[in-house]
Amino acid sequence: MTTIGYPYTLPTTANVSFQEYFAPNANAQYQQPLSDATAFRGRLRTALKEHKHSDRHDFLNIQKAVEDYLPLVFGLVAGIESTELQLTNDIETTWRCTISNVALSLKLPRIKHKSIHYEAIFALLALGYTLMDRANELSFAVQRKILIAIGDVSTYVGGYGDGTSMKGSGLTLSLGNSTSNDNIGHDLGLNSTSVGSGGGTKQSVANATSRLFKKSTNMSSKAAKNSNTIGEFTDYLNDEDLTGMDHQLTTAADLYCRAAGVFEYIVQEMIPRWNEAKPVVVILTGKEPPASNKRTGAEASRPVDVQTSVVSAHIRLALAEAHACTVRKASIKAARASAIKLSTPGSGVTATTGSAVSKTSYGLLAKLTVGVKEEYERAYGLLKAVKDQNEISSEFRAHVKDGKYYYEALAQVLLGMDAYEAQQYGKAIGFLTVARATFLSIAKSSKAHTIAQSAAFEYRLANEKVTAFQKINDSVTFEKVPSAAELLGLMPSGRELLSVKRYQAPKPSFGTAAAAREGGADGGDDGVAKITYALEGAYF
């Protein structure tokens, strides 16, 4: 199972000086917190700008910058909501939206909005997107190891967890109009001799593989014949490599669940507070009455990035990829177990590790993958709730739409493998053939680069299995292959394992709200010490 996590573009923002929006005399005791809020926001802006203009990204630095800024933002929100802070004008900030569509421009739209809630929500979105990208980075790192292990270096060049853009990678989809089932997999360019801009050769690919992963010397000749398939890729990896991949996927799943918690907090707490916010109370200073002395318009008039249905879609996508990481972990163990079965009885591999390797059934993995597909369906339904679909980034819409078909095809592959293990070759061929057709269609037509790339890879693997199973069925078993309609009735319902990790919002760092959350126990610093930090739980 390859990774298709959506590569979120982090938002950027323009400079703001909060002191300009508050009456100096009425807020004399808060001048230092206001200055700190401006300074910490400036640090976050710098981190986001550096991320945008760098080829290698430091997501932990951005996460820390956001988390250091949020207590001050929550202090501003609480102070303005309670009128403890006296405004001379409603706070207006500008953020570069990343989910809003781009019309007749190559740049993402910079949208200015008046409300401290707009500022707080975008800061939280930056945190959620960063957690998602950190998780993607770990998932892509695992995928890169697998691709190297089976020799498909061209599939990951230019991306996959190294902080570079996934666009413009070495993958070329020269699918053409070939109708040959046996040869069409080789037309995908997945074993291209061109690796990156350097134009390496197949020999250099082999050398790179041999340097990074040493194939087990105990492999049987049967396994060695087909060593360039997903079923035996674990023979190129030692136990330390596999343990590391397991840890990376576990951490990625946790980050996805934490991101879902941040998005859920926005939907359940921040957007409702924005909707219910009273008109701001301003102090006139002899200037014109501010035009913002009115309640902000309806949610539909706001950028789609901060609308409930779109943020809710992020929750579903985060949970989907968290579940996908869980399935990927189990799939790697299943591949390991299958590879060990191919070893010669009594060999070192079987004798030393065979009893220690457990295998999750392909049937259960298929149900979990159907659950991932259903999360993508929910996300797509939420996006459809937006009145004007053209306001949503076409790339994001394409990713969500094609993602549900991609995971449905992956579930069909797993069902095919489950049927194969039960020696139901006709059923296995049927599921894999349907999945292969879906992968080919996505690889040729999808506008979502990440999914098109992964679908091309999965097409090749499905094609290999169909070819192998057909040879067995045509010469030994002669079972009838069910129709697509019959197979549709055999698709199971989805199952879920993980849930949202609730986001614990930091305590406001100043004002009455900060004092109210002290609990009256051991002084004001206790709440600050409880704020989560960027490296929490990320020990290696």
Side-chain angles (χ1 to χ4, degrees):
M1 173 187 285
T2 43
T3 297
I4 66 164
Y6 183 73
Y8 284 90
T9 300
L10 300 187
T12 55
T13 184
N15 275 318
V16 166
S17 175
F18 287 115
Q19 294 96 318
E20 296 178 1
Y21 293 95
F22 294 90
N25 296 332
N27 301 283
Q29 71 273 36
Y30 297 126
Q31 289 306 304
Q32 185 59 48
L34 292 175
S35 177
D36 290 342
T38 299
F40 277 84
R41 189 184 192 278
R43 199 179 86 181
L44 172 59
R45 178 179 181 272
T46 299
L48 292 170
K49 286 284 187 181
E50 289 177 350
H51 168 87
K52 179 181 179 181
H53 297 294
S54 174
D55 290 333
R56 302 193 67 84
H57 308 308
D58 188 351
F59 291 116
L60 282 174
N61 179 53
I62 297 170
Q63 183 178 335
K64 186 177 187 308
V66 178
E67 291 176 339
D68 287 346
Y69 173 53
L70 281 171
L72 292 156
V73 174
F74 281 111
L76 292 174
V77 171
I80 292 172
E81 286 180 341
S82 66
T83 68
E84 181 180 2
L85 292 173
Q86 299 295 306
L87 292 166
T88 56
N89 200 349
D90 202 353
I91 292 177
E92 184 176 63
T93 56
T94 302
W95 284 88
R96 192 178 296 281
C97 297
T98 59
I99 304 301
S100 297
N101 208 0
V102 185
L104 303 177
S105 173
L106 296 177
K107 293 184 177 181
L108 295 169
R110 295 181 63 174
I111 299 180
K112 184 181 293 185
H113 220 284
K114 290 185 177 182
S115 174
I116 189 59
H117 298 91
Y118 180 69
E119 171 70 12
I121 289 172
F122 249 106
L124 287 166
L125 285 175
L127 176 60
Y129 295 162
T130 301
L131 292 172
M132 293 289 283
D133 282 343
R134 276 187 62 196
N136 288 340
E137 195 172 47
L138 291 168
S139 296
F140 293 149
V142 171
Q143 183 62 18
R144 178 171 55 186
K145 288 183 181 179
I146 295 174
L147 293 170
I148 293 175
I150 63 175
D152 278 324
V153 181
S154 62
T155 309
Y156 79 86
V157 169
Y160 290 101
D162 59 359
T164 61
S165 171
M166 294 187 64
K167 295 183 179 181
S169 67
L171 181 68
T172 54
L173 297 178
S174 54
L175 297 173
N177 295 315
S178 173
T179 58
S180 170
N181 288 338
D182 292 339
N183 297 322
I184 196 167
H186 300 290
D187 296 334
L188 287 169
L190 287 166
N191 279 329
S192 171
T193 58
S194 174
V195 182
S197 59
T201 63
K202 286 184 179 179
Q203 184 62 41
S204 66
V205 172
N207 290 339
T209 302
S210 64
R211 285 197 302 272
L212 292 172
F213 300 102
K214 188 173 182 180
K215 185 176 176 181
S216 170
T217 57
N218 292 318
M219 278 185 63
S220 67
S221 58
K222 181 179 179 182
K225 282 183 180 179
N226 295 311
S227 60
N228 197 39
T229 66
I230 197 68
E232 293 84 29
F233 79 90
T234 55
D235 287 299
Y236 291 89
L237 307 170
N238 57 38
D239 290 340
E240 184 179 352
D241 295 321
L242 295 170
T243 300
M245 292 164 68
D246 187 274
H247 175 73
Q248 286 177 310
L249 290 173
T250 300
T251 306
D254 179 72
L255 288 170
Y256 283 129
C257 290
R258 287 172 59 189
V262 174
F263 296 134
E264 184 180 70
Y265 183 83
I266 294 172
V267 169
Q268 295 184 355
E269 297 289 336
M270 294 309 299
I271 293 179
R273 287 171 70 174
W274 190 3
N275 293 340
E276 297 168 5
K278 299 176 181 178
V280 297
V281 176
V282 302
I283 294 179
L284 301 182
T285 57
K287 301 177 182 178
E288 277 186 40
S292 62
N293 198 12
K294 298 179 181 179
R295 184 168 179 172
T296 309
E299 183 177 335
S301 66
R302 301 167 188 165
V304 294
D305 295 59
V306 295
Q307 290 184 22
T308 298
S309 57
V310 174
V311 182
S312 296
H314 297 321
I315 301 174
R316 307 331 307 177
L317 294 182
L319 284 178
E321 290 306 315
H323 283 98
C325 284
T326 303
V327 176
R328 196 171 299 120
K329 282 172 51 182
S331 297
I332 290 173
K333 291 180 179 179
R336 179 66 163 168
S338 297
I340 288 175
K341 283 185 178 181
L342 292 176
S343 300
T344 305
S347 68
V349 175
T350 304
T352 59
T353 63
S355 61
V357 177
S358 60
K359 178 178 177 180
T360 306
S361 72
Y362 283 113
L364 176 56
L365 293 177
K367 291 179 181 179
L368 293 172
T369 305
V370 171
V372 177
K373 186 265 295 188
E374 290 172 349
E375 291 286 12
Y376 266 82
E377 284 182 330
R378 295 185 186 107
Y380 190 64
L382 288 163
L383 293 183
K384 296 293 286 184
V386 176
K387 186 175 181 180
D388 185 357
Q389 290 293 291
N390 292 325
E391 291 183 359
I392 306 174
S393 163
S394 56
E395 182 180 358
F396 185 65
R397 279 187 287 123
H399 181 95
V400 178
K401 180 181 178 181
D402 292 339
K404 63 179 183 177
Y405 296 117
Y406 173 83
Y407 278 113
E408 183 175 44
L410 278 180
Q412 290 164 345
V413 168
L414 293 167
L415 289 170
M417 293 304 297
D418 187 55
Y420 168 72
E421 291 199 337
Q423 298 185 350
Q424 300 172 342
Y425 292 97
K427 186 177 174 182
I429 293 168
F431 273 121
L432 285 161
T433 300
V434 172
R436 180 180 64 177
T438 302
F439 287 136
L440 180 60
S441 175
I442 294 174
K444 292 175 70 174
S445 63
S446 178
K447 295 180 181 179
H449 174 82
T450 309
I451 295 180
Q453 188 178 52
S454 297
F457 176 75
E458 293 293 343
Y459 168 84
R460 174 196 165 192
L461 301 181
N463 190 63
E464 287 179 351
K465 292 180 176 69
V466 170
T467 301
F469 296 170
Q470 280 179 335
K471 288 180 180 178
I472 298 173
N473 198 46
D474 292 345
S475 60
V476 180
T477 55
F478 306 104
E479 291 184 8
K480 178 185 175 183
V481 177
S483 66
E486 291 173 320
L487 293 169
L488 183 62
L490 299 175
M491 289 290 291
S493 299
R495 287 187 57 179
E496 296 181 0
L497 289 176
L498 305 174
S499 58
V500 172
K501 285 203 168 185
R502 187 176 178 183
Y503 174 67
Q504 296 291 335
K507 185 191 71 171
S509 62
F510 66 93
T512 303
R517 291 183 60 176
E518 293 295 347
D522 300 320
D525 293 333
D526 182 62
V528 177
K530 293 180 181 178
I531 297 173
T532 57
Y533 54 93
L535 288 172
E536 183 177 18
Y539 306 111
F540 299 95

